[in-house]
Amino acid sequence: TQLLEQSPQFLSIQEGENLTVYCNSSSVFSSLQWYRQEPGEGPVLLVTVVTGGEVKKLKRLTFQFGDARKDSSLHITAAQPGDTGLYLCAGGWSGNTPLVFGKGTRLSVIA
Amino acid sequence: EPEVTQTPSHQVTQMGQEVILRCVPISNHLYFYWYRQILGQKVEFLVSFYNNEISEKSEIFDDQFSVERPDGSNFTLKIRSTKLEDSAMYFCASKRGTSGYNEQFFGPGTRLTVL
């Protein structure tokens, strides 16, 4: 059973375009993390969202947590080639419970 | 900025051999995890560790696997008798404390290749 579904699976866009990727679940999470992973490296934490409806901005990246804390989106404005990578969402519950990861969205930004 | 470190970066072993993967979590963190990622697949939880004992483990973490915190800084994952299907990237992660949200920081990973 796929707890976290990410879409699209692959996305290829031109530099300067905007994009949104999605992370959806039927489960309610206490928090949701977005990570970025380069080939052969570990996931790097970008942001944590914890409150339903919360919006966080990280430069050109805008993260939103759904009101019901079941889904999230990542919007990138004016994408750059340096944004290329695998974007992973991971849901967690309170305490030290393990994270549940989605399969990721592989983004390619072409100059 | 403190970070999780892992050694070795790449380990090649023969099927049936034992391997030990090493991790140094962030120094003031209390919760430690091992995850793995088979090539092209999603990151999967193996085991969590707190207060010198296993907190939770997945069904992947069978009797061939063990974890240890031998001193105040290292956290190790041992695979006793490796199988071909153990080939994967293994990630260590750590978390500071029992905050309301589950912010885990990952190391760069060890690529394990079982021949």
Side-chain angles (χ1 to χ4, degrees):
Chain A
T1 305
Q2 203 48 297
L3 268 184
L4 274 173
E5 293 201 16
Q6 291 191 245
S7 61
Q9 193 175 350
F10 300 97
L11 185 58
S12 181
I13 61 170
Q14 295 291 322
E15 181 178 1
E17 292 184 355
N18 302 331
L19 66 112
T20 303
V21 299
Y22 300 93
C23 174
N24 294 302
S25 175
S26 56
S27 298
V28 177
F29 293 103
S30 300
S31 66
L32 198 135
Q33 280 75 29
W34 282 92
Y35 292 86
R36 183 173 143 187
Q37 186 179 26
E38 304 288 346
E41 298 181 12
V44 175
L45 182 65
L46 296 175
V47 79
T48 298
V49 286
V50 299
T51 306
E54 181 177 6
V55 176
K56 280 192 174 178
K57 289 182 184 271
L58 186 66
K59 296 183 182 176
R60 293 176 293 100
L61 277 60
T62 301
F63 304 85
Q64 184 159 11
F65 202 13
D67 290 341
R69 303 207 316 273
K70 292 182 179 181
D71 52 81
S72 182
S73 63
L74 159 59
H75 181 80
I76 301 179
T77 304
Q80 298 176 0
D83 295 327
T84 294
L86 180 66
Y87 289 84
L88 299 169
C89 67
W93 294 275
S94 58
N96 67 331
T97 56
L99 293 175
V100 174
F101 280 82
K103 286 188 174 181
T105 291
R106 187 165 298 283
L107 172 66
S108 176
V109 181
I110 302 162
Chain B
E1 187 168 328
E3 57 186 21
V4 178
T5 59
Q6 290 186 244
T7 55
S9 57
H10 193 182
Q11 174 88 48
V12 181
T13 189
Q14 294 290 327
M15 190 169 57
Q17 295 296 302
E18 174 182 287
V19 295
I20 297 176
L21 310 183
R22 290 181 168 79
C23 167
V24 178
I26 296 173
S27 63
N28 62 347
H29 284 194
L30 301 177
Y31 295 89
F32 315 117
Y33 307 82
W34 284 101
Y35 292 82
R36 79 172 185 190
Q37 186 178 34
I38 294 171
L39 186 64
Q41 299 186 23
K42 61 182 179 180
V43 177
E44 302 175 288
F45 166 72
L46 293 177
V47 65
S48 58
F49 193 86
Y50 169 70
N51 201 25
N52 284 319
E53 61 183 24
I54 290 174
S55 304
E56 190 170 344
K57 57 185 180 180
S58 72
E59 52 191 35
I60 302 169
F61 193 89
D62 61 23
D63 292 343
Q64 295 298 313
F65 292 87
S66 62
V67 289
E68 195 177 34
R69 187 154 164 84
D71 53 43
S73 59
N74 290 285
F75 180 49
T76 62
L77 174 69
K78 183 192 290 186
I79 309 175
R80 252 180 285 283
S81 177
T82 51
K83 302 187 279 287
L84 295 177
E85 54 265 37
D86 294 328
S87 294
M89 284 287 287
Y90 287 80
F91 297 109
C92 173
S94 68
K95 172 175 177 279
R96 187 166 61 185
T98 53
S99 61
Y101 48 93
N102 204 336
E103 201 166 66
Q104 297 178 19
F105 294 87
F106 284 74
T110 293
R111 180 176 299 282
L112 176 65
T113 302
V114 182
L115 302 175

